[in-house]
């Protein structure tokens, strides 16, 4: 839980109703899912004034992604998919990010799709130092599972 809170602070969620809401959602998912949550990612963009807009939250286990849709609203809705169903193809786009160290102007977007059994898609967006976190998630949870999907479909 401390790792979760530390990451949220890094993306500007340090206290208040948004932190309380995300903590509640995390606890519900962690308590109801059969695998340990090992990673979290907040997909976000920055407004012109520099404030962040939080789009969705993704929780990662060893074999699954849990995607919480509109985490700031009143309704709690999440989608769960195994990596083999979620990550068949990926597209990355970046701005002012060298894939080593992000700065305040950095942006990274990762779009993932799978066309094998279901038309699933996931869009992960990051700004500033959150780009480093998204790049790490891409390497650890997305990229390493792309070949597994393709091998099983082939």
């Amino acid at each position: 839980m401390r790792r979760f809170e530390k990451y949220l602070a890094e993306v500007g969620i340090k206290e208040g109703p948004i932190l309380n809401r995300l903590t509640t959602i995390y606890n519900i998912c962690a308590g109801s899912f059969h695998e340990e949550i090992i990673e979290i990612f907040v997909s976000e963009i920055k407004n012109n004034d520099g404030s962040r807009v939080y789009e969705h939250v993704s929780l990662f286990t060893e074999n699954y992604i849990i995607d919480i849709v509109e985490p700031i609203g009143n309704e709690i809705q999440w989608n769960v998919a195994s990596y083999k169903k979620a990550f068949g193809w990926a597209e990355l786009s970046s701005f002012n990010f060298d894939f080593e160290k992000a700065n305040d102007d950095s942006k990274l977007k990762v779009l993932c799709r799978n066309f094998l059994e279901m038309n699933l898609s996931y869009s992960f967006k990051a700004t500033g130092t959150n780009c480093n976190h998204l790049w790490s998630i891409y390497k650890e949870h997305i990229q390493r599972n792309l070949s597994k999907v393709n091998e099983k479909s082939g």
Side-chain angles (χ1 to χ4, degrees), residues 110-123:
V110 177
L111 176 64
C112 302
R113 288 202 173 129
N114 183 332
F115 299 107
L116 298 177
E117 296 178 28
M118 299 174 67
N119 190 9
L120 295 174
S121 66
Y122 293 90
S123 178

Side-chain angles (χ1 to χ4, degrees), residues 14-106:
K14 298 177 184 171
E15 59 187 2
I18 295 175
L19 177 62
N20 294 341
R21 174 79 174 156
L22 294 180
T23 301
T24 298
I25 292 170
Y26 177 91
N27 288 334
I28 289 169
C29 291
S32 64
F33 204 70
H34 64 280
E35 288 188 8
E36 179 184 0
I37 295 169
I38 55 177
E39 196 63 75
I40 181 174
F41 177 74
V42 177
S43 186
E44 48 82 27
I45 58 174
K46 282 187 185 173
N47 285 327
N48 291 336
D49 66 2
S51 63
R52 285 185 159 129
V53 175
Y54 305 107
E55 297 185 326
H56 63 96
V57 175
S58 298
L59 306 173
F60 298 85
T61 72
E62 186 64 32
N63 297 294
Y64 296 89
I65 177 173
I66 306 165
D67 196 54
I68 296 106
V69 183
E70 297 182 32
I72 309 304
N74 291 326
E75 182 180 355
I76 299 174
Q77 176 187 347
W78 67 78
N79 304 309
V80 179
S82 67
Y83 292 145
K84 68 179 181 179
K85 296 215 187 282
F87 304 134
W89 170 85
E91 174 184 294
L92 284 77
S93 60
S94 66
F95 174 80
N96 206 12
F97 179 53
D98 65 3
F99 296 90
E100 291 184 21
K101 187 173 181 188
N103 61 52
D104 287 343
D105 295 327
S106 295

